[in-house]
Amino acid sequence: MHFTCLYFFILSGYTFSGKGKFADYLKKKIRTLLVPYMFFVIITMCCNGVLAVTHGNEYHVFEILKLYIIQNRYTLLWFITCLFLANLLMDVLQSLRSKTKTNHFWLIIGCIGALVFGIYRVIIGKDLPWNADLSILAMAFMSFGKWCREQKIIEKVKLMRYSLAICILITFSASAVNYIYFERVDLYSDAFGNPILFMTAALTGTFAVVLISMTTNNRILIELGKNSLIYYGLHRIIIDLMFVVYEKMGIQIDNASWSAVGFAIISVCVAIVILTPVKCLVLKYIPWCLGKKKE
């Protein structure tokens, strides 16, 4: 899950192309990130409220809404506000990039961003609203992605024989070793395991995703990629419902066992199947909720 967030950050940097005035860019990101964020918050609160009522639990609407507004590492939606701030940082840096001729500008910025984040967490260590501290790390990963785009790193990797298979193998191997012998990767809890394995898995995983997109025209993958935000924002609701179903069926899931991986895959597939018609309805009738125009 948290490696997936890294892929998103690096890919966001890889596709980043901030142009024009900052005010215009700010309006665009409010429309494409903050409006969907509030949409996901409303839907999630409604569904969780219903689950709380059906299970006889209390649900303090205003307290929970306050947590979403402050958004200090609260639920998986932390990623959206973090990405929003990181994009604004990238746009400011883009104006600086246009004034320098340094070929490795974004690589330098990425290293500086990672260093600043590390120093902040060691010396201050305070979680900031809207995950502003994490946005520095997110900007660093986005800078690495931007640097890869400028230096055509992906194209160079593609020339290697069996490049996709190698990237996938390295990603899974580095992730497995990091998880087994160090600690789980938990971005918003500052748990990165071994830094070398962490970066290796993040970069090779991103390369694998880009290579797959360059070598296939699968319509299903294209649609999932184009509408990844709605799947990300709402998939947890379906997964929570699946755990309710598992409980009703008497299925006990041990998170430390391999069977948990199988149930996770099943839950994700079910989420995609259920959310696909939801996505179609939203895009048809209320596309502005996702920051898109009506087709």
Side-chain angles (χ1 to χ4, degrees):
M1 168 61 191
H2 300 289
F3 271 122
T4 305
C5 292
L6 295 182
Y7 300 160
F8 269 112
F9 286 138
I10 297 175
L11 290 172
S12 295
Y14 188 82
T15 58
F16 177 82
S17 59
K19 297 178 181 179
K21 297 180 180 180
F22 177 79
D24 295 332
Y25 188 77
L26 175 60
K27 291 177 183 178
K28 177 183 177 182
K29 289 305 167 183
I30 290 175
R31 175 173 57 85
T32 57
L33 287 176
L34 293 192
V35 172
Y37 173 75
M38 292 309 302
F39 172 67
F40 297 144
V41 167
I42 293 171
I43 299 299
T44 301
M45 288 187 64
C46 290
C47 292
N48 288 344
V50 171
L51 279 177
V53 171
T54 56
H55 284 71
N57 300 323
E58 294 184 352
Y59 194 74
H60 304 287
V61 176
F62 291 106
E63 288 297 321
I64 293 174
L65 182 59
K66 180 181 177 181
L67 293 174
Y68 277 115
I69 293 174
I70 296 174
Q71 188 41 264
N72 192 338
R73 291 160 168 78
Y74 186 65
T75 73
L76 59 83
L77 295 179
W78 70 269
F79 171 81
I80 299 179
T81 58
C82 182
L83 181 62
F84 172 76
L85 295 180
N87 269 280
L88 298 187
L89 286 174
M90 288 291 290
D91 190 64
V92 172
L93 290 169
Q94 178 66 32
S95 62
L96 181 61
R97 173 70 177 96
S98 62
K99 299 176 182 178
T100 179
K101 297 181 180 179
T102 305
N103 290 330
H104 300 291
F105 173 85
W106 290 110
L107 179 61
I108 296 172
I109 290 296
C111 293
I112 292 174
L115 181 62
V116 170
F117 174 78
I119 293 173
Y120 176 85
R121 295 308 303 178
V122 171
I123 297 177
I124 301 177
K126 183 178 177 59
D127 299 339
L128 297 178
W130 276 37
N131 311 292
D133 52 317
L134 276 177
S135 68
I136 299 174
L137 183 62
M139 178 275 293
F141 280 105
M142 289 180 69
S143 297
F144 290 138
K146 184 69 173 176
W147 176 75
C148 288
R149 181 65 176 268
E150 287 189 349
Q151 301 299 317
K152 301 185 183 300
I153 301 297
I154 301 294
E155 287 78 1
K156 294 175 183 177
V157 171
K158 188 179 179 181
L159 294 176
M160 295 169 49
R161 195 175 185 183
Y162 307 120
S163 57
L164 178 58
I166 292 173
C167 286
I168 293 175
L169 178 62
I170 294 176
T171 299
F172 280 102
S173 299
S175 300
V177 173
N178 200 15
Y179 178 79
I180 294 172
Y181 294 101
F182 295 92
E183 58 182 340
R184 72 188 187 96
V185 174
D186 192 344
L187 206 58
Y188 55 70
S189 296
D190 299 330
F192 306 106
N194 182 282
I196 296 176
L197 293 173
F198 171 76
M199 286 299 301
T200 299
L203 291 174
T204 54
T206 303
F207 291 166
V209 172
V210 177
L211 288 171
I212 291 173
S213 68
M214 294 171 67
T215 56
T216 182
N217 289 317
N218 186 285
R219 291 182 60 186
I220 296 177
L221 292 179
I222 292 173
E223 283 299 312
L224 289 175
K226 285 171 57 179
N227 300 283
S228 58
L229 186 61
I230 189 170
Y231 289 103
Y232 176 84
L234 299 179
H235 79 278
R236 186 67 204 185
I237 298 173
I238 309 301
I239 290 178
D240 287 342
L241 290 173
M242 288 298 296
F243 277 101
V244 173
V245 173
Y246 295 146
E247 183 180 348
K248 295 293 183 181
M249 295 174 63
I251 299 175
Q252 299 295 323
I253 300 176
D254 181 6
N255 291 329
S257 67
W258 284 104
S259 62
V261 177
F263 284 113
I265 294 174
I266 293 173
S267 299
V268 169
C269 292
V270 172
I272 292 174
V273 171
I274 293 176
L275 290 178
T276 296
V278 173
K279 177 263 299 182
C280 294
L281 291 173
V282 171
L283 289 177
K284 184 175 181 179
Y285 296 107
I286 49 173
W288 56 269
C289 289
L290 298 178
K292 298 185 178 183
K293 296 180 180 180
K294 195 168 185 178
E295 298 179 357

